[in-house]
Amino acid sequence: MNAYVQRVLEDLGKRYGDQPEFVQAATEILTTLSPVVDKHPEYEKAGLLERYVEPERIVIFRVPWLDDRNQVQVNRGYRVQFNSAIGPYKGGLRLHPSVNLSIIKFLGLEQILKNSLTGLPIGGGKGGSDFDPKGRSDAEVMRFCQSFMTELYRHIGKDVDVPAGDIGVGGREIGYLYGQYKRITGLYEGVLTGKGLSYGGSLARKEATGYGLCYFIQAMMKRNGLTPEGMTAVISGSGNVAIYAAEKITSMGARVVAMSDSNGYVYDPAGIRLDVVKDIKEVHRGRIREYAERVQGSEYHEGFRGIWTIPCQIALPCSTQNEINEESARTLVRNGVKVVGEGANMPSTLEATKVFQDAKVLFGPAKAANAGGVATSALEMSQNSLRLAWTFQEVDERLHTIMTDIFDKVAKAAEEYAESGDYVAGANIAGFLKVADAMMAQGVV
Ligand code: NDP
């Protein structure tokens, strides 16, 4: 490993030892950047890597709100504005009880490179809160979102920082957040993406991350002489990304046999009926176990990791970080997996990624494979600025082109700097080069 990279990583480990997800993401990225840093000794003089791993700004704030029993609840809100070298900060908001600074920083660091890979002018940021929307009424979610935005509004803006959805933040939450932003500032501007279609949202944004994931793996498979047609797929999660990945991969001719949520997974050898999943998750906000109660021939199993024991050729982890550990990766390889496409952010541990790479599984890393969501968010920003609305087909075609271009960039960078087919290194390097160039040009800031 390059000595400068090693020193920065050691310092990071000492300073942020209490932020394991952040250190994990930084280790994965910086390790693969070694050959780039070898070629650019000027980076060390400019302190480029030390600046790159340190967020430009972190905002942490109190989010007080009243529940339906009139009890005061207090959550913690976060916004990490990580890097604005190539555009305004852009990245989702996550509402989940596990949210802490380490998780938001790892997501923000990944986001910088992902946004760069889209080829669009967006910097990297991420935010959220340890609020748990599960089991909360619409009124409670609204009061939480209003309180959250009452602090966040002063740090964001259409040319400053444009948040979007992530785990626990869908159309309902974006609507409440947008309403409060508009009420406080009096501005009708594209400050959030993932908005409803009646107030500035983009067609195909909801589908974009899942569809984009499938466009990416389709391009990756094509390069390697494969197609999804006739293959069996397993998709973890049953949220926004998982549902639309299932829809698109099915239309490409694969059969999805299992999906999950944080409690367990359903296995349906006849092929998952997505109309039922959508009804349970999008309409009733229910649990995946209800699928087995409604569809004959399917089975429900408790525990979310068990899904990776189901034999498949295509595995699409679409729920959360570190959901595939080394053991799950070994099981997938033993059962003949050929393609892994990361819909979630950092769903594979460092050890699991190594297992896939050693076994020559085609591996599409998150920051490239799931970039379709943020790319379409940037298309939503463009439409807001132009005061125009493109058709579903127009947006979907642009998404398809962006994902194919991302794959080409990633494959080329892998060949040039690492090993042909090492798309992990390829994604990190291709994303980093543009950001590094902009940071070098802008001086020590
Ligand atoms: P949703 O909230 O719509 O769905 C999340 C899904 O993952 C749910 O099925 C949820 O189950 C499951 N899940 C969440 N946390 C855990 C956990 N700790 N253990 C097991 N399962 C869990 O989120 P999204 O679909 O939007 O996001 C999924 C992943 O995709 C995240 O990693 C996100 O960062 C990433 N992503 C999302 C993008 C987007 O556009 N939405 C863009 C790029 C990446 P349950 O309902 O039981 O909690």
Side-chain angles (χ1 to χ4, degrees), residues 388-421:
L388 281 177
W390 297 329
T391 63
F392 188 97
Q393 198 188 349
E394 268 176 293
V395 180
D396 190 34
E397 276 168 11
R398 282 176 205 259
L399 169 67
H400 200 156
T401 307
I402 289 170
M403 296 314 295
T404 315
D405 286 351
I406 292 178
F407 174 73
D408 289 343
K409 269 187 242 178
V410 167
K412 188 161 168 270
E415 249 158 56
E416 206 172 312
Y417 287 94
E419 210 181 298
S420 172

Side-chain angles (χ1 to χ4, degrees), residues 94 134 166 168 205 209 238-241 262 287 319-320 344-345:
R94 175 175 291 192
K134 258 188 232 127
D166 190 80
R205 172 60 187 92
T209 309
S238 46
N240 174 260
V241 179
S262 55
R287 309 305 301 159
S319 59
T320 197
N345 284 308

Side-chain angles (χ1 to χ4, degrees), residues 158 188-190 381-389:
K158 74 175 170 56
Y188 206 102
E189 61 175 24
M381 289 163 73
S382 304
Q383 293 170 81
N384 292 161
S385 297
L386 294 166
R387 304 258 185 264
L388 281 177

Side-chain angles (χ1 to χ4, degrees), residues 94 96 98 107 114 126 134 165-169 205 209 236-242 260-263 281 286-287 304 318-321 323 343-345 370-371 373-374:
R94 175 175 291 192
H96 193 273
S98 64
L107 289 164
K114 181 188 312 198
K126 199 83 190 189
K134 258 188 232 127
D166 190 80
I167 292 178
V169 177
R205 172 60 187 92
T209 309
S236 67
S238 46
N240 174 260
V241 179
S260 61
D261 61 22
S262 55
N263 296 116
K281 289 290 174 180
R287 309 305 301 159
F304 71 91
C318 293
S319 59
T320 197
Q321 65 275 357
E323 56 171 304
N345 284 308
N370 72 25
V374 72

Side-chain angles (χ1 to χ4, degrees), residues 9 12-13 16-29 82 94 96-110 320-323 345-350 367:
L9 269 178
L12 206 69
Y16 297 120
D18 58 344
Q19 298 180 358
E21 294 86 0
F22 173 59
V23 172
Q24 179 184 340
T27 305
E28 190 245 83
I29 293 170
F82 223 120
R94 175 175 291 192
H96 193 273
S98 64
V99 163
N100 57 32
L101 190 56
S102 172
I103 288 181
I104 299 297
K105 279 178 68 181
F106 114 66
L107 289 164
L109 188 69
E110 290 272 303
T320 197
Q321 65 275 357
N322 294 329
E323 56 171 304
N345 284 308
M346 203 169 75
S348 315
T349 62
L350 292 169
K367 65 178 74 62

